[in-house]
Amino acid sequence: EDQVTQSPEALRLQEGESSSLNCSYTVSGLRGLFWYRQDPGKGPEFLFTLYSAGEEKEKERLKATLTKKESFLHITAPKPEDSATYLCAVENNAGNMLTFGGGTRLMVKP
Amino acid sequence: DVKVTQSSRYLVKRTGEKVFLECVQDMDHENMFWYRQDPGLGLRLIYFSYDVKMKEKGDIPEGYSVSREKKERFSLILESASTNQTSMYLCASSRGREKKAFFGQGTRLTVV
């Protein structure tokens, strides 16, 4: 059974204080790893897809990286508007379903 | 701009009522999904559909059914609502074999 664990559950940062969110996974053949951002009371919004170990994707202050066992979402010099819950999900080779982690709630204080 | 629209943002229903949650996408996507999201449990897949009139059970289908009569519309049905079905319900769609899913804004359902 595929499993996705995100840590920490919650993270408080000062504006400008860089940090990383972790997504550890076990999956029967990784087809893709997905990062989403979710604002309170809204549906998740797609950020990145990573397909193979060593791959990196960037968008503004966010950079996602992938190894064979985990993915990191690095946030450089965050701003208050980066506050949200960040979700990680994996797709295996066999199925058509995504398995989601529990998310990391990020709060950036000005 | 791509769009997945859920019919209600907030719903309050009584125990035992039959509840319909509607979802419409305007992207001509083949795949549609229904998730529920609960604190500490993350997103869990209820049902999904690859095509019109096709449906597959997800991880937690008990107490739910779905209908997909048209490509753009996917309905989630709670046959007899119970308090443990109080949750945020999220609809999503994706194209073909892609798993980059687009989500609706969610329906927060309270069963009293």
Side-chain angles (χ1 to χ4, degrees):
Chain A
E1 184 179 325
D2 300 339
Q3 286 194 325
V4 180
T5 303
Q6 292 188 247
S7 61
E9 288 187 14
L11 180 62
R12 290 177 182 268
L13 298 174
Q14 287 296 127
E15 185 172 2
E17 180 186 2
S18 301
S19 188
S20 296
L21 314 182
N22 178 264
C23 171
S24 297
Y25 63 88
T26 54
V27 64
S28 53
L30 181 71
R31 179 173 281 175
L33 185 140
F34 301 78
W35 282 99
Y36 287 85
R37 170 192 170 127
Q38 186 175 23
D39 293 302
K42 295 188 177 181
E45 179 183 343
F46 172 80
L47 290 173
F48 304 110
T49 309
L50 302 167
Y51 295 103
S52 57
E55 189 175 0
E56 298 182 353
K57 293 269 179 79
E58 282 189 71
K59 181 179 180 180
E60 295 180 355
R61 294 177 292 281
L62 301 177
K63 183 167 91 171
T65 62
L66 181 64
T67 73
K68 289 187 177 180
K69 293 185 177 180
E70 57 193 349
S71 177
F72 291 94
L73 185 65
H74 306 278
I75 302 176
T76 302
K79 297 182 178 182
E81 54 262 42
D82 295 322
S83 297
T85 295
Y86 291 85
L87 300 170
C88 168
V90 297
E91 177 198 1
N92 65 28
N93 281 334
N96 292 285
M97 299 180 289
L98 295 181
T99 301
F100 280 85
T104 293
R105 186 159 58 93
L106 175 66
M107 294 155 281
V108 182
K109 300 283 188 180
Chain B
D1 207 11
V2 298
K3 213 158 190 183
V4 178
T5 303
Q6 294 182 227
S7 53
S8 305
R9 290 296 303 274
Y10 302 95
L11 274 179
V12 180
K13 297 292 182 180
R14 294 193 179 279
T15 302
E17 275 192 79
K18 191 169 185 175
V19 181
F20 293 85
L21 303 183
E22 307 285 346
C23 175
V24 177
Q25 50 98 359
D26 66 358
M27 296 167 281
D28 200 36
H29 283 172
E30 292 82 4
N31 309 315
M32 296 189 75
F33 307 84
W34 275 107
Y35 291 88
R36 64 177 282 176
Q37 185 175 32
D38 301 287
L41 296 176
L43 270 78
R44 293 179 291 166
L45 183 65
I46 305 171
Y47 267 97
F48 59 104
S49 168
Y50 298 126
D51 201 351
V52 176
K53 298 193 186 294
M54 302 290 287
K55 59 184 179 184
E56 297 281 346
K57 292 180 179 179
D59 298 319
I60 51 164
E62 297 78 18
Y64 303 94
S65 62
V66 290
S67 172
R68 193 162 179 207
E69 296 296 319
K70 293 186 177 182
K71 190 176 185 180
E72 67 271 18
R73 187 178 297 271
F74 193 34
S75 302
L76 180 69
I77 303 154
L78 287 66
E79 296 290 342
S80 178
S82 64
T83 54
N84 63 12
Q85 292 178 310
T86 291
S87 186
M88 169 72 102
Y89 289 88
L90 290 162
C91 175
S93 71
S94 70
R95 181 186 307 283
R97 293 183 61 79
E98 288 182 17
K99 292 301 167 287
K100 174 183 172 180
F102 295 87
F103 283 83
Q105 78 277 26
T107 297
R108 186 164 294 281
L109 172 67
T110 302
V111 182
V112 298

